[in-house]
Amino acid sequence: MFNRKMTGPTRLEEYSEKYKDLFLMTRRGGILEVRMHTDGGPLQFDWPVQAAYGHVWSDIGRDPENEVMILTGTGELWQTGNPEVWTTKFMDWPNRRKLEMYHESLRMIENMVQCIDIPTIGAINGTGAHWQLGTLCDITICTEDTAVFDAHYLGGVPPGDGIVLALQRILGTKKAAYYAYTGMNITAEEALDLGLVSEVLPREQLIPRAWELAELIMQAPRSTRHLTHSIVAHPWKQALAENQGLQLTHQLVDMAIDEEGIHERLMKLKERFQRNDN
């Protein structure tokens, strides 16, 4: 017999506990704040985190008590990368794991767009990896010291994880290509001028403003909220359906034939950025 519990609503009490080591969740008046973290600091991205993204978006989307979602990070960084995940060359990964990597990479973005049917606010709390998740939200705000960039090409990898897709959709073909090849920083003010973000705020005002916007959204009827989100998110659904699989495949094919491996290039790139900082 069909068991409705298998496909029915999820409960915040259950999935917030399940993901608490990566995503801290609080909900008030239907507004769910999801704060990424690792040990109380900025989220450190690795492969278990990538897999968790696809699952957490599905669970959040299946909870009818969630009416607006705020996505943010911890501390002064959105999230951090970890070059050590590339110590083993991708070409040496087992074929099964390569396939899993493909699906997990897709679900990280696709499930956010396809599974969450409520208005979303990205509150980008600083520079960091995978900032495209913040721009996939309906409204995106950021701190004054935020800078975004795509270092894939500088690291010797085609940019297929969704960052360039976000740049193409928001900035247009030529500007996206420029930032993809150069890896240049886009400052918060430049991001505002380019349309990547909606507001730039002092750090202490970021989360209060996100909640203020969420409460403003909550004033409309439930059906209005859901269907407005469907309208404003539709261009992302089109972009993902048309381009994300192709872009990701290009990246993974290059990684699969790369005999040198990404790790050494990333470490050199990290040293370069450290020298520039000093």
Side-chain angles (χ1 to χ4, degrees):
M1 181 179 292
F2 172 68
N3 184 351
R4 189 172 184 83
K5 290 183 178 180
M6 293 177 62
T7 58
T10 52
R11 292 171 54 85
L12 177 63
E13 295 79 7
E14 297 173 357
Y15 61 81
S16 63
E17 177 67 19
K18 180 167 57 172
Y19 301 113
K20 66 181 181 180
D21 291 337
L22 302 176
F23 309 101
L24 294 175
M25 304 185 199
T26 57
R27 186 170 64 200
R28 186 175 72 245
I31 301 169
L32 178 71
E33 179 184 300
V34 180
R35 180 164 64 83
M36 305 176 292
H37 82 106
T38 297
D39 297 329
L43 179 70
Q44 185 173 68
F45 184 84
D46 57 19
W47 305 136
V49 169
Q50 179 169 265
Y53 270 120
H55 296 298
V56 74
W57 303 142
S58 177
D59 282 340
I60 289 172
R62 288 173 52 219
D63 185 348
E65 300 301 316
N66 295 327
E67 294 288 359
V68 178
M69 185 185 80
I70 298 170
L71 177 65
T72 192
T74 300
E76 298 183 358
L77 296 174
W78 176 249
Q79 63 177 252
T80 63
N82 181 9
E84 296 308 313
V85 300
W86 293 115
T87 302
T88 301
K89 297 176 185 178
F90 189 66
M91 67 183 306
D92 295 331
W93 287 26
N95 287 339
R96 179 186 178 92
R97 183 65 191 114
K98 291 175 184 173
L99 182 61
E100 290 173 347
M101 168 76 157
Y102 171 78
H103 287 301
E104 290 166 1
S105 298
L106 279 180
R107 292 176 187 136
M108 175 180 171
I109 297 177
E110 286 188 345
N111 283 8
M112 181 179 180
V113 174
Q114 301 287 358
C115 295
I116 297 179
D117 296 322
I118 57 175
T120 54
I121 299 170
I124 302 179
N125 58 300
T127 303
H130 295 290
W131 53 265
Q132 77 271 28
L133 295 173
T135 61
L136 289 174
C137 294
D138 300 344
I139 296 175
T140 306
I141 61 179
C142 73
T143 58
E144 294 171 324
D145 59 350
T146 294
V148 298
F149 59 91
D150 186 356
H152 279 82
Y153 190 81
L154 297 183
V157 184
D161 70 344
I163 290 180
V164 166
L165 181 68
L167 292 174
Q168 288 174 329
R169 195 72 194 187
I170 299 172
L171 306 189
T173 302
K174 300 300 290 185
K175 287 181 180 178
Y178 174 75
Y179 288 112
Y181 279 117
T182 65
M184 287 186 62
N185 276 356
I186 302 174
T187 67
E189 288 300 327
E190 290 170 338
L192 182 63
D193 291 341
L194 291 168
L196 276 171
V197 301
S198 311
E199 296 181 7
V200 175
L201 299 154
R203 177 169 302 280
E204 66 274 10
Q205 295 180 19
L206 183 73
I207 300 305
R209 178 56 175 160
W211 276 86
E212 181 181 8
L213 288 167
E215 290 165 354
L216 175 67
I217 291 171
M218 284 293 295
Q219 294 177 16
R222 181 185 178 95
S223 61
T224 302
R225 296 194 302 267
H226 282 237
L227 296 178
T228 298
H229 168 77
S230 180
I231 291 170
V232 301
H234 187 67
W236 288 119
K237 294 179 180 181
Q238 287 181 307
L240 290 172
E242 294 170 0
N243 297 311
Q244 182 56 20
L246 179 146
Q247 293 186 7
L248 179 61
T249 300
H250 280 63
Q251 176 177 328
L252 296 184
V253 166
D254 185 71
M255 288 162 52
I257 63 175
D258 179 10
E259 296 183 357
E260 178 184 359
I262 300 170
H263 181 262
E264 293 301 318
R265 294 196 297 271
L266 288 177
M267 294 307 295
K268 292 176 183 177
L269 193 61
K270 182 178 179 181
E271 292 173 2
R272 171 187 159 187
F273 285 134
Q274 289 175 337
R275 286 196 303 270
N276 289 342
D277 289 341
N278 298 331

